[in-house]
mmCIF file of all heavy atoms in Angstrom:
data_model
loop_
_atom_site.group_PDB
_atom_site.id
_atom_site.type_symbol
_atom_site.label_atom_id
_atom_site.label_comp_id
_atom_site.label_asym_id
_atom_site.label_seq_id
_atom_site.Cartn_x
_atom_site.Cartn_y
_atom_site.Cartn_z
ATOM 1 N N GLN A 357 100.206 109.193 113.397
ATOM 2 C CA GLN A 357 100.526 109.394 111.970
ATOM 3 C C GLN A 357 99.352 109.103 111.015
ATOM 4 O O GLN A 357 99.515 109.026 109.850
ATOM 5 C CB GLN A 357 101.819 108.594 111.621
ATOM 6 C CG GLN A 357 103.010 109.076 112.492
ATOM 7 C CD GLN A 357 104.291 108.499 112.008
ATOM 8 O OE1 GLN A 357 104.473 108.074 110.859
ATOM 9 N NE2 GLN A 357 105.210 108.202 112.920
ATOM 10 N N GLY A 358 98.294 108.893 111.668
ATOM 11 C CA GLY A 358 96.954 108.597 110.821
ATOM 12 C C GLY A 358 96.931 107.174 110.290
ATOM 13 O O GLY A 358 96.116 106.931 109.419
ATOM 14 N N ILE A 359 97.654 106.309 110.954
ATOM 15 C CA ILE A 359 97.539 104.804 110.535
ATOM 16 C C ILE A 359 96.869 104.079 111.686
ATOM 17 O O ILE A 359 97.213 104.150 112.782
ATOM 18 C CB ILE A 359 98.957 104.310 110.331
ATOM 19 C CG1 ILE A 359 99.736 105.046 109.275
ATOM 20 C CG2 ILE A 359 98.896 102.774 109.997
ATOM 21 C CD1 ILE A 359 101.112 104.760 109.180
ATOM 22 N N LEU A 360 95.770 103.340 111.338
ATOM 23 C CA LEU A 360 95.008 102.671 112.353
ATOM 24 C C LEU A 360 95.239 101.160 112.232
ATOM 25 O O LEU A 360 95.099 100.511 111.202
ATOM 26 C CB LEU A 360 93.531 102.913 112.163
ATOM 27 C CG LEU A 360 93.148 104.402 112.356
ATOM 28 C CD1 LEU A 360 91.653 104.599 112.186
ATOM 29 C CD2 LEU A 360 93.600 104.858 113.772
ATOM 30 N N ILE A 361 95.629 100.571 113.352
ATOM 31 C CA ILE A 361 95.691 99.102 113.527
ATOM 32 C C ILE A 361 94.987 98.716 114.831
ATOM 33 O O ILE A 361 94.591 99.653 115.574
ATOM 34 C CB ILE A 361 97.182 98.683 113.625
ATOM 35 C CG1 ILE A 361 97.961 99.415 114.727
ATOM 36 C CG2 ILE A 361 97.919 98.884 112.226
ATOM 37 C CD1 ILE A 361 99.331 98.923 115.033
ATOM 38 N N SER A 362 94.883 97.481 115.140
ATOM 39 C CA SER A 362 94.254 97.015 116.318
ATOM 40 C C SER A 362 95.306 96.290 117.204
ATOM 41 O O SER A 362 95.772 95.210 116.709
ATOM 42 C CB SER A 362 93.099 96.088 116.050
ATOM 43 O OG SER A 362 92.058 96.770 115.359
ATOM 44 N N PRO A 363 95.672 96.825 118.364
ATOM 45 C CA PRO A 363 96.577 96.127 119.174
ATOM 46 C C PRO A 363 95.907 94.842 119.768
ATOM 47 O O PRO A 363 94.728 94.856 120.046
ATOM 48 C CB PRO A 363 96.975 97.060 120.370
ATOM 49 C CG PRO A 363 95.833 98.053 120.366
ATOM 50 C CD PRO A 363 95.201 98.083 119.022
ATOM 51 N N GLY A 364 96.700 93.759 119.835
ATOM 52 C CA GLY A 364 96.192 92.402 120.275
ATOM 53 C C GLY A 364 95.459 92.483 121.610
ATOM 54 O O GLY A 364 94.538 91.642 121.833
ATOM 55 N N GLU A 365 95.824 93.311 122.567
ATOM 56 C CA GLU A 365 95.258 93.312 123.885
ATOM 57 C C GLU A 365 93.783 93.564 123.823
ATOM 58 O O GLU A 365 93.042 93.164 124.764
ATOM 59 C CB GLU A 365 95.901 94.452 124.679
ATOM 60 C CG GLU A 365 97.363 94.265 125.008
ATOM 61 C CD GLU A 365 97.951 95.436 125.710
ATOM 62 O OE1 GLU A 365 97.329 95.951 126.718
ATOM 63 O OE2 GLU A 365 99.039 95.805 125.375
ATOM 64 N N LEU A 366 93.289 94.209 122.757
ATOM 65 C CA LEU A 366 91.841 94.371 122.640
ATOM 66 C C LEU A 366 91.046 93.186 122.549
ATOM 67 O O LEU A 366 89.858 93.142 122.849
ATOM 68 C CB LEU A 366 91.538 95.261 121.369
ATOM 69 C CG LEU A 366 91.979 96.685 121.393
ATOM 70 C CD1 LEU A 366 91.679 97.338 119.996
ATOM 71 C CD2 LEU A 366 91.260 97.528 122.482
ATOM 72 N N PHE A 367 91.712 92.087 122.224
ATOM 73 C CA PHE A 367 90.972 90.817 121.842
ATOM 74 C C PHE A 367 91.068 89.836 122.990
ATOM 75 O O PHE A 367 90.809 88.610 122.714
ATOM 76 C CB PHE A 367 91.473 90.288 120.520
ATOM 77 C CG PHE A 367 91.262 91.245 119.397
ATOM 78 C CD1 PHE A 367 92.309 92.132 119.007
ATOM 79 C CD2 PHE A 367 90.068 91.350 118.743
ATOM 80 C CE1 PHE A 367 92.152 93.055 118.025
ATOM 81 C CE2 PHE A 367 89.888 92.375 117.793
ATOM 82 C CZ PHE A 367 90.878 93.144 117.402
ATOM 83 N N SER A 368 91.418 90.226 124.104
ATOM 84 C CA SER A 368 91.533 89.301 125.319
ATOM 85 C C SER A 368 91.210 89.984 126.549
ATOM 86 O O SER A 368 91.470 91.179 126.765
ATOM 87 C CB SER A 368 93.076 88.775 125.362
ATOM 88 O OG SER A 368 93.186 88.005 126.587
#
Side-chain angles (χ1 to χ4, degrees):
Q357 297 185 29
I359 302 169
L360 297 179
I361 58 173
S362 300
E365 294 176 43
L366 292 176
F367 302 96
S368 175

